[in-house]
């Protein structure tokens, strides 16, 4: 399987704010993900990679919009 659109940095927030409309969800999600430390970003991406491997994903395109410090 190929995951052509993923946001691995947001894995730690999966299921949060799921009942919000998309425009509000985007606002609510960007606030906490923008404050993640480098270690938290790494761990979130690592967890996402493990989940993708577990489900048979072999390739992914990660859409990261933040700044690397």
């Amino acid at each position: 399987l190929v995951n052509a659109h993923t946001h691995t940095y947001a894995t730690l927030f999966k299921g949060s704010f799921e009942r919000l409309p998309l425009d509000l969800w985007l606002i609510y999600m960007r606030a906490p993900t923008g404050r993640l430390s480098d270690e938290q970003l790494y761990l979130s991406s690592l967890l996402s990679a493990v989940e993708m491997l577990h489900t048979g994903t072999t390739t992914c395109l990660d859409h990261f919009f933040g700044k690397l410090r």
Side-chain angles (χ1 to χ4, degrees):
L1 299 173
V2 175
N3 183 347
H5 187 128
T6 188
H7 300 273
T8 59
Y9 62 87
T11 301
L12 298 177
F13 301 101
K14 191 183 325 184
S16 301
F17 319 114
E18 63 187 22
R19 296 189 182 267
L20 292 177
L22 179 59
D23 53 344
L24 292 177
W25 181 84
L26 288 170
I27 293 169
Y28 278 84
M29 279 301 293
R30 287 184 190 237
T33 57
R35 292 190 301 266
L36 291 175
S37 69
D38 291 343
E39 183 179 17
Q40 290 168 323
L41 286 170
Y42 171 77
L43 292 173
S44 183
S45 298
L46 185 63
L47 176 60
S48 182
V50 169
E51 288 177 349
M52 284 189 273
L53 287 172
H54 180 72
T55 58
T57 302
T58 60
T59 307
C60 72
L61 176 61
D62 193 357
H63 294 270
F64 180 71
F65 67 86
K67 289 189 220 178
L68 294 176
R69 296 179 259 303

